[in-house]
Amino acid sequence: MILTITANPSVDISYKLDGFVIDDVNRTAKVEKDAGGKGIHVSYVLKELGEDVTNSGFIGGKLGEFIEKRLDERKISHDFIKLDDETRNCIAILHDGKQTEILEKGPEVSKEKEDEFLAHLKEIANNLDIISISGSLPKGLDSNFYKKIIEFAKNENIFVALDTSGSTLKDLVNADFKPDLIKPNEKEIIDIIGKKFPEEDEKIKEIFSNSVLSEIKYIIVSQGASGAVVKINDKIYKTAVPKVEALNPVGSGDSSLAGAISAIFNKESGEDFIRKSMNCGLLNVLNEEIAHVNMNDFDKYYEKISIKEI
């Protein structure tokens, strides 16, 4: 089984407006609400890929109940730790070809609730093949929470994928127990290496071989519409995806991660791992719905993804 962890999930609300006027009333009939958070998005695509996936993290109040209801509707299992405080809303206002976001901080997680989560993780570990950790940390938790999960997983021989950013990402890749897979974008890789990610092949190889990145088996450096640079053990690849008309790029990183995790779960080869990951990210942009891949189009683009070892 695959476990996706979203420590700070949300109810995602999208308002679509023809125009947005500051300091005035803005009305819309186009409202969408769904369970959100990067780990939950990963689970959506894993489910579409046919994988056995469950969600965990921390939820609270009526908004937490809404998240569980939405997962139930998709027939995706879940086992969250319950908080007294309300889960957060994350609001996206789509207007004039732009997206303005308002993100609530969310509830605080106490030491007791953190311990409850870690104890429960030990209870379900026998059924886990992969743990995927995604997103930011709520108030009350720091990177040590993720460190404890990674250390536990490594001791139990459970594969760990990590998708976070900033100081948390930097702290975790420098920790004694490292994740098996990370998926930084070009901005996030700067947080790790302290400089711009190079374009030249030899410099890319040097970055991966002479830094903490050398100790991480799978690394996908997302470069948006251009594709990605992928490290698998000591091999480095440049990948490119076919050009398409993007309807909604939001959730493509989570979709790409889901494809990578699915490939790992099914023990797929290096190039198949890359194609599946890139293909899922590409398919996501073809839909207005976040973290959704149309499986009818899966084979259409799969072989069009170019891969070159450097």
Side-chain angles (χ1 to χ4, degrees):
M1 177 180 283
I2 301 166
L3 171 66
T4 66
I5 296 174
T6 313
N8 199 15
S10 62
V11 173
D12 288 352
I13 305 172
S14 175
Y15 297 129
K16 296 183 180 179
L17 306 174
D18 294 330
F20 184 53
V21 182
I22 300 293
D23 199 26
D24 202 351
V25 174
N26 294 269
R27 302 183 188 277
T28 181
K30 300 175 182 177
V31 180
E32 295 179 4
K33 297 182 182 181
D34 204 353
K38 293 177 70 63
I40 290 175
H41 289 161
V42 171
S43 76
Y44 286 173
V45 177
L46 284 169
K47 179 69 174 180
E48 291 176 332
L49 292 169
E51 308 302 356
D52 186 11
V53 60
T54 189
N55 285 269
S56 193
F58 303 93
I59 59 171
K62 294 298 181 182
L63 296 180
E65 292 174 8
F66 175 84
I67 288 174
E68 292 182 308
K69 179 173 179 289
R70 296 296 290 191
L71 290 169
D72 288 340
E73 290 169 354
R74 292 175 181 255
K75 296 181 171 55
I76 300 176
S77 68
H78 51 83
D79 194 356
F80 291 96
I81 301 300
K82 304 298 173 60
L83 305 176
D84 293 331
D85 294 337
E86 194 79 34
T87 291
R88 64 181 179 151
N89 286 306
C90 289
I91 299 169
I93 304 170
L94 306 170
H95 60 98
D96 306 308
K98 302 175 183 178
Q99 180 166 315
T100 301
E101 296 186 2
I102 302 171
L103 309 180
E104 296 180 6
K105 271 192 172 183
E108 182 170 356
V109 176
S110 66
K111 180 66 168 60
E112 290 74 21
K113 290 297 181 180
E114 176 186 1
D115 291 343
E116 183 180 343
F117 178 93
L118 295 170
H120 182 64
L121 182 60
K122 293 177 182 178
E123 292 175 4
I124 64 175
N126 288 338
N127 298 320
L128 296 180
D129 301 286
I130 297 174
I131 296 174
S132 178
I133 305 168
S134 296
S136 61
L137 287 158
K139 188 177 179 182
L141 297 179
D142 58 25
S143 61
N144 284 320
F145 174 64
Y146 284 166
K147 283 182 183 178
K148 291 172 185 175
I149 296 172
I150 294 170
E151 180 177 356
F152 169 77
K154 303 305 289 184
N155 288 332
E156 296 294 323
N157 200 30
I158 299 170
F159 186 97
V160 182
L162 174 71
D163 185 12
T164 189
S165 60
S167 60
T168 301
L169 175 61
K170 185 176 181 179
D171 197 16
L172 293 168
V173 299
N174 283 283
D176 293 335
F177 293 89
K178 302 183 192 303
D180 299 288
L181 185 155
I182 59 172
K183 198 204 65 61
N185 58 31
E186 289 187 290
K187 180 178 180 296
E188 290 161 350
I189 197 74
I190 293 173
D191 294 333
I192 301 173
I193 64 177
K195 58 184 177 181
K196 185 178 178 181
F197 191 71
E199 297 181 5
E200 300 84 357
D201 291 357
E202 288 305 314
K203 290 184 178 180
I204 291 173
K205 291 166 72 173
E206 184 180 339
I207 287 291
F208 282 126
S209 61
N210 296 329
S211 68
V212 292
L213 298 177
S214 65
E215 302 174 52
I216 299 174
K217 184 174 182 179
Y218 295 91
I219 301 174
I220 304 170
V221 181
S222 172
Q223 298 178 312
S226 299
V229 175
V230 180
K231 173 185 178 292
I232 303 175
N233 291 318
D234 59 349
K235 294 186 176 181
I236 315 297
Y237 304 87
K238 281 186 174 179
T239 75
V241 297
K243 291 184 178 180
V244 297
E245 184 177 347
L247 295 180
N248 183 11
V250 178
S252 288
D254 302 326
S255 301
S256 176
L257 179 58
I261 291 170
S262 174
I264 295 296
F265 185 75
N266 290 290
K267 298 179 172 57
E268 296 178 29
S269 69
E271 290 206 359
D272 287 335
F273 165 87
I274 295 170
R275 291 188 194 281
K276 196 168 198 178
S277 176
M278 295 297 100
N279 200 31
C280 287
L282 175 67
L283 293 177
N284 177 81
V285 308
L286 300 177
N287 304 280
E288 290 191 356
E289 184 180 350
I290 296 173
H292 167 62
V293 298
N294 185 343
M295 294 305 295
N296 293 327
D297 290 335
F298 191 86
D299 293 336
K300 180 178 179 181
Y301 297 101
Y302 188 85
E303 294 297 336
K304 294 180 181 179
I305 295 165
S306 68
I307 303 171
K308 182 186 78 169
E309 185 176 353
I310 62 173

